[in-house]
Amino acid sequence: MPAPPAPRWSAAVLPAAAALLAAAAFALVRGALIDDAYITLAYVRTLALHGEWGVSPGLPANTATSPLNVLLLAAVTLVVRDAVLAAGIVLAGLMALLTHWTATTARSLGLPGWTAALPAPLLLANPLLLSTVGLETYLAVTLLAGLAHAAVTGRARTAGVLCALLVLTRPDLVVVAVLAAVGVPALRRRWRAVGAAAFLVAAPWYLFSWVVLGSFVPDTLLWKVGDSWGRDHVTFANGLTVYARVFPVATVLALLPAVAGVVGGLAWVAVRRRGRAAVTVLGLGAAVHAAAFVVIGTAPYHWYYGPAAGALTVLAAWSAGALVRPVRRGVPVPRAVATLSVATSTLLTAVLAVLAVSSTASDVGHGVPWRLAPISTNHATAAEYARVAAGLHGTVVSAGELGALAYFCDERCTIDDPLSERAPMLTRIAARRAGAGPVASVLYDVNYLFLRPAPYERGTTRLVHRRGHHPDGVDVGTPWAGAGNLVVVPVG
């Protein structure tokens, strides 16, 4: 006997509740957005208010890794005229949409209605995911949940659209799109419809980017291949060990829901046939996306772990509902298996509830509102960068971090950085290209076929991050970088 469908009132109430919860989470974190989030918001403001693609007006660039996130935030900024506020509105909308897709997936599979109430609280309490607000992480997780829904219901064209949106969210998410198209039988049988829809949605942007912005893919994608941190060459493969040492509580709380997702997904495959497409997209999708970062050998920026952690968290929530009434080929499983499945569902639900409460308590204990994200690799807080920006004028070479300075400078000053100035970025990419093989060199030439670099004038002053206190600078400090001081000196 199938589980009763979710009540109709939940179709509106649960998404609305998720949006309100997201608004509360954003109120907590809005003063502690990380520097890369401010890079995105600087792009958003430049596009929405000036109609240009770049960090600062008059400086064309193509370093926004997530064009869809920029476009979505810019559309809201056009209305509200505030990029930070737009980030909160979009977060609320994404959590409502994710909850809607969870509810419709639950109805399609005959899962309990309460399944839809689980993902949003877990995602909005996760300290790693909250440390990426303003970036594309929540957008990626929401689209992954939507693709899982399309895969479960066999909607090929919808799946194709969502595959394209995933690639526009992050180019590396193409591996999940391909996995879904090939690994889900209902989509594989209609691969032409999936591919056509994906091409029609994604092609216009990439053609525009190639011809108008001067590169088919963002410059950052080429820059970060083979990247690592420090003399120990810390990469994505071993980066979590570094975070666990510096931010132990936040890292553990961030990863435990993903572990629950692995356990839940395996149990789902073992006892329930229906809905395995969701396990393919969310479970295997998380694995192949993480593996792609390992293969390209990129540095362990913490938001790179976000899509996989978020997808597995959604899988954990869905698995808790799927295990309540296990069914194979429409026939109930043996009573002993069913009993074990229900017990696993109960335990999984209890674990997720404890994790949600524990993570929320940790989030609130970090400060209300936050001054600094619980996982942050920045040298200064957003408020400290705002104080530094208030004293800057003209063009200033960055000390390695761009976003908050560029955002708080507004039009009073410009930050010279490889992420905002095309010339130094291309110099770095060319240096890597020099050591690459002939195939990589050809791809590089094709990618930049239409590039027409703008003139580059380096700033006459630069920011320097120094240890200790200096009377002519601004004191800054974070757990990651320690105490220091930002000083403006002449370019020498």
Side-chain angles (χ1 to χ4, degrees), residues 39-40 43 53-54 60-71 136 166-174 202 205-211 213-225 296 304 418-422 425-426 428-429 432 443-444 446-448 451:
I39 295 176
T40 295
Y43 261 94
W53 193 263
N62 194 13
T63 53
T65 305
S66 179
L68 181 59
N69 192 38
V70 172
L71 293 169
E136 67 278 356
L166 278 170
V167 176
L168 291 170
T169 298
R170 286 198 63 92
D172 41 74
L173 284 168
V174 67
W205 168 261
Y206 281 104
L207 181 62
F208 171 83
S209 178
W210 191 32
V211 175
L213 301 182
S215 57
F216 187 77
V217 296
D219 296 334
T220 45
L221 186 66
L222 301 177
W223 180 29
K224 292 182 178 179
V225 171
I296 66 175
Y304 284 8
L419 293 172
S420 61
E421 290 274 14
R422 205 72 183 268
M425 172 60 75
L426 293 178
R428 294 190 178 196
I429 293 175
R432 295 204 175 170
L443 292 175
Y444 177 95
V446 171
N447 184 62
Y448 289 109
L451 177 63

Side-chain angles (χ1 to χ4, degrees), residues 446-457:
V446 171
N447 184 62
Y448 289 109
L449 180 64
F450 296 100
L451 177 63
R452 301 294 181 269
Y456 172 53
E457 295 183 7

Side-chain angles (χ1 to χ4, degrees), residues 247-263:
F247 315 108
V249 175
T251 302
V252 170
L253 289 175
L255 296 181
L256 284 178
V259 174
V262 173
V263 174

Side-chain angles (χ1 to χ4, degrees), residues 373-391:
I375 298 179
S376 172
T377 55
N378 296 144
H379 290 166
T381 68
E384 288 167 347
Y385 274 131
R387 288 201 299 273
V388 173

Side-chain angles (χ1 to χ4, degrees), residues 87-474:
I89 294 172
V90 168
L91 177 63
L94 290 174
M95 288 299 95
L97 180 58
L98 185 144
T99 301
H100 165 73
W101 272 328
T102 300
T104 53
T105 303
R107 285 197 294 270
S108 297
L109 296 176
L111 309 185
W114 51 259
T115 305
L118 294 178
L122 288 166
L123 294 170
L124 291 169
N126 189 303
L128 185 147
L129 300 182
L130 282 180
S131 298
T132 71
V133 168
L135 291 169
E136 67 278 356
T137 308
Y138 281 101
L139 175 59
V141 174
T142 300
L143 292 174
L144 287 169
L147 180 57
H149 171 256
V152 166
T153 55
R155 300 179 181 182
R157 290 187 178 86
T158 301
V161 170
L162 289 166
C163 285
L165 294 179
L166 278 170
V167 176
L168 291 170
T169 298
R170 286 198 63 92
D172 41 74
L173 284 168
V174 67
V175 295
V176 185
V178 172
L179 171 70
V182 174
V184 177
L187 301 183
R188 185 171 62 246
R189 287 191 291 268
R190 300 184 62 194
W191 65 268
R192 290 182 180 86
V194 175
F199 178 82
L200 290 174
V201 173
W205 168 261
Y206 281 104
L207 181 62
F208 171 83
S209 178
W210 191 32
V211 175
V212 178
L213 301 182
S215 57
F216 187 77
V217 296
D219 296 334
T220 45
L221 186 66
L222 301 177
W223 180 29
K224 292 182 178 179
V225 171
D227 193 15
S228 63
W229 286 349
R231 291 176 297 179
D232 296 331
H233 300 291
V234 179
T235 65
F236 184 87
N238 58 355
L240 287 175
T241 60
V242 178
Y243 289 115
R245 287 198 300 268
V246 183
F247 315 108
V249 175
T251 302
V252 170
L253 289 175
L255 296 181
L256 284 178
V259 174
V262 173
V263 174
L266 292 174
W268 188 334
V269 169
V271 303
R272 184 183 179 96
R273 183 174 179 82
R274 289 191 64 199
R276 288 186 179 181
V279 182
T280 299
V281 174
L282 297 174
L284 287 180
V288 299
H289 189 238
F293 281 130
V294 173
V295 169
I296 66 175
T298 190
Y301 302 97
H302 67 268
W303 54 94
Y304 284 8
Y305 300 93
L312 288 171
T313 298
V314 174
L315 180 58
W318 290 12
S319 298
L323 296 174
V324 171
R325 293 179 182 271
V327 177
R328 286 180 177 171
R329 297 179 177 87
V331 179
V333 299
R335 178 172 297 182
V337 175
T339 301
L340 179 61
S341 179
V342 172
T344 303
S345 171
T346 303
L347 178 62
L348 186 60
T349 304
V351 168
L352 293 177
V354 170
L355 285 174
V357 172
S358 300
S359 295
T360 301
S362 177
D363 295 338
V364 173
H366 190 66
V368 180
W370 283 357
R371 174 180 168 270
L372 181 71
I375 298 179
S376 172
T377 55
N378 296 144
H379 290 166
T381 68
E384 288 167 347
Y385 274 131
R387 288 201 299 273
V388 173
L392 299 180
H393 300 278
T395 300
V396 182
V397 179
S398 79
E401 293 186 330
L402 162 72
L405 289 171
Y407 190 86
F408 291 113
C409 268
D410 200 358
E411 298 181 21
R412 185 185 65 258
C413 53
T414 301
I415 306 301
D416 180 353
D417 185 273
L419 293 172
S420 61
E421 290 274 14
R422 205 72 183 268
M425 172 60 75
L426 293 178
T427 299
R428 294 190 178 196
I429 293 175
R432 295 204 175 170
R433 179 202 179 209
V439 175
S441 297
V442 170
L443 292 175
Y444 177 95
D445 292 337
V446 171
N447 184 62
Y448 289 109
L449 180 64
F450 296 100
L451 177 63
R452 301 294 181 269
Y456 172 53
E457 295 183 7
R458 195 181 187 198
T460 56
T461 59
R462 64 187 177 98
L463 276 170
V464 176
H465 182 266
R466 296 174 176 171
R467 296 284 184 181
H469 171 74
H470 297 268
D472 52 347
V474 176

